[in-house]
Amino acid sequence: MAWVAFPAYGGLGAVMAAGQAPLGWWWVTIAALAVLFCLLPLQATPRNWSWRLWAAGTGYFAASLFWIVEPFFIEPERHGWMAPFALVLMAGGMALFWAAAGWLAAWAGHGRGRLVALVAALVALELGRGWIFTGFPWAMLGHVLVGTPLMQLAAWGGAGALSLLVLVVALLPALGQTGLQRAGGLLAGLALVAGLWVWGGGESDLPPAQNHVIRLAQPNAPQAEKWQGDNPQRFFNRLLDQTAAPASPAPALIVWPETAVPFFLEHAGDGLAMMAEATHAHGPETLLGFGVQRYEDGRYFNSLAVLDITAQVTQIYDKHHLVPFGEYVPLSEFLLGSGMAGFAAQVLQGYSPGPGPALLDMGPLGHALPLICYESIFPRHLRGTDRPDWVLQITNDAWFGEMTGPFQHLAQARLRAVEQGLPVLRAANTGVSAVIDARGGIVAQLGLGETGFLDAPLPTALPATLYARVGDVPVWVALLAVLGAMVALRLRSGARPA
C-alpha cells in the first residue's frame, strides 16, 4: 500500500466518528463506511487490506476518543506532554482490531464476498474488544444509533446488532458492480433503515412511572479544583444544601456522584452525621447513596455506600471493573506480592477491585444494580446478578472534559437501558446527570457544567428483553456462520489471494 493512501483512509475514518455523540450524525458514519467499502481493492493481498483498515481505524478512533487527552490536562504542567502519545497509542491500538478484521476478510473472502466477510469480522472484533485486556467497548460503530428509534434493536441483539445494522446498510451499495446496481443497494439500505425506524418509533409504550421520587445531586466540581485548598469542604457543603432542599413529594432516595465526599469512609468524622441530618429533612425513610473512597486490610476501594437517617451505612458496593493504569496497576499483586498490593495501590493512587456485581436493597424502590463510572460501558455487568428493578450509576465525568467524553458515556448508559429493558439513573459530578427510562429515553437531565439537583419519579422496568436473557449469542451465531461459510469456501476452492 502506498504511504500516500494513509492520510486518505485515516481522514475517511475520522469522518466516520461524526456519528458518535455529541454530534450524532449517524448517516455520515454510514456514508463514510460505504465509501470505504467502495475504495477497498478487491484483489489486494490480506496484508494490503490490513494496512488500509488500520489507517481508517486509526482515524476513526483518534476522532472518537479524542477525550482521552483530557485527564492529562488536569495538571498540564506535569502531564500535558503525555497527551499526544496517549491518543496516538490508543487510536493505533484500537485500530489493530480493524486491521485484523481486514486481514481475515481478505484471506477468507473472494471478490465482493470479501466485503461481506469484512462486515462480519468487524462486528466480531468489536464485540471481542469488550473482553480482551479487560475490555474497552467504547466507540463501537453501533453507538452512532443511540438517540434514534433504531437503537431499540439493541433489546434484541445489543450493541453488536446495532453495529451490524450500520455496516450492512453501508455494504449494500458497495456490493453492486454497476451504477444501477449500487443505486439499488442504496435504496435497499434506505428501505431497511426506514422500516426499522418505524418499528423502533412504535416501541414507545411504557408503564407509568412509580410514585417514588429519586433526587440526583450534581455538585459540578471541576476535577482541577475538586481537591484544591478549601474546595473539598465547599463542594461537600454544596451537596448538603442540595440534599436538604425541600421537595414535594419528598424523595425516597438521594444520590451523590462518584467520590463525592472529602473523606475516607473509615475516617468520616462528623461527615456522615451531617449527611444524615440533611437527609432527615425529607423524613425518616429517605436514604442517601453516595460515592466514597474506603480502605480495608490495606486495600483501597472506589465505593458506593447507602446511608440512613441515623448516620448508619447499611450497604456498600465496591467497584469491581477498574480502569487499567487509571485506577490500578495491572499485575501489581503478581509483581509485588499480595502483601504489597495495598501499598502499591496507595502510592499509585489506585484501587483494588471489589468482588463483582451485586444488588442493593432499596426498600420500596426495589433492588438496584450499582455501577460506578466505567462499569456502565460493559453490557455483561448488567447480567451478572438476579434481574434488578433498575440500574444506579454514579460517575465523575469531569475527567472526560466537556467536548465529547461525557456525552458518549451518557449514550452508553442509554444503550444499557434499552438492552435490559431497565431504567437507569445516573448521578454525575459535573454532568450529565439523567433519569433514563427502560427504552433509553431521557426523562430528565442536568446538563454538562450545571450545578443543582433534579427530582424525578423512578421509571418502571419492562419485561426482560431477549438480550437480557441470552446476551450476544444470536449475533455471534450469525457472525460465525458467515465467517465459517467464507472460510469453508476458501478451503474447498484452494484459492489464494492475489
Side-chain angles (χ1 to χ4, degrees), residues 3-59:
W3 286 98
V4 70
F6 270 74
Y9 279 86
L12 188 60
V15 171
M16 293 177 200
Q20 298 291 340
L23 291 178
W25 295 350
W26 56 271
W27 62 91
V28 174
T29 301
I30 292 176
L33 280 167
V35 173
L36 173 65
F37 290 150
C38 291
L39 288 179
L40 289 171
L42 298 180
Q43 302 304 318
T45 63
R47 181 179 179 181
N48 187 288
W49 265 45
S50 179
W51 280 114
R52 291 173 190 269
L53 267 297
W54 182 82
T58 299

Side-chain angles (χ1 to χ4, degrees), residues 429-464:
N429 171 27
T430 53
V432 178
S433 298
V435 177
I436 303 168
D437 66 32
R439 294 209 187 279
I442 296 179
V443 176
Q445 67 176 339
L446 277 171
L448 189 63
E450 291 186 24
T451 302
F453 63 88
L454 63 84
D455 292 342
L458 177 63
T460 303
L462 291 168

Side-chain angles (χ1 to χ4, degrees), residues 177-192:
Q177 299 185 42
T178 66
L180 185 60
Q181 290 174 340
R182 291 189 173 184
L186 175 61
L187 291 175
L190 292 174
L192 177 60

Side-chain angles (χ1 to χ4, degrees), residues 143-191:
H143 292 166
V144 304
L145 300 181
V146 174
T148 75
L150 300 172
M151 75 174 176
Q152 300 305 322
L153 187 62
W156 296 83
L162 299 185
S163 293
L164 186 59
L165 174 61
V166 167
L167 286 161
V168 166
V169 173
L171 170 68
L172 290 174
L175 290 178
Q177 299 185 42
T178 66
L180 185 60
Q181 290 174 340
R182 291 189 173 184
L186 175 61
L187 291 175
L190 292 174

